[in-house]
Amino acid sequence: MKQLAFIVFQDNDNARYLVEAITEDNPHAEVQHMPALIRVQAEKRLEIRRETVEAKIGREWDVQEMLTDVISIGGNVAEDDDSFVLEWKN
């Protein structure tokens, strides 16, 4: 059975920039667009990097800002000022 790390966002302008950044940093990730939400998933691990998001949105960005657009996550979370990582460590 695959262990998919995932994050689900409300489908809004902020989330679209986040998804662009996530797929740039995680080329193995799959994106699913559904009514009112966007799900990004990858086997074992997803990493969201502050510097990539800042390049997409054109301003400074705090990793915590993302949480206002998150609906659900799957995986163990490792977070610091520069990244937000979801992964399964088994």
Side-chain angles (χ1 to χ4, degrees), residues 17-76:
Y17 288 117
L18 291 168
V19 170
E20 281 183 37
I22 294 168
T23 56
E24 182 175 311
D25 289 337
N26 303 272
H28 61 290
E30 299 173 12
V31 178
Q32 299 172 342
H33 292 268
M34 299 175 213
L37 63 89
I38 305 169
R39 178 185 169 113
V40 184
Q41 65 185 26
E43 192 164 350
K44 300 257 184 201
R45 187 172 200 276
L46 274 176
E47 182 172 4
I48 301 165
R49 296 184 185 130
R50 181 187 49 79
E51 65 184 24
T52 308
V53 175
E54 287 179 346
K56 296 292 180 191
I57 64 175
R59 65 171 176 82
E60 289 185 4
W61 180 76
D62 186 316
V63 173
Q64 292 289 314
E65 289 180 48
M66 170 186 70
L67 299 177
T68 61
D69 299 308
V70 171
I71 295 171
S72 183
I73 58 173
N76 298 308

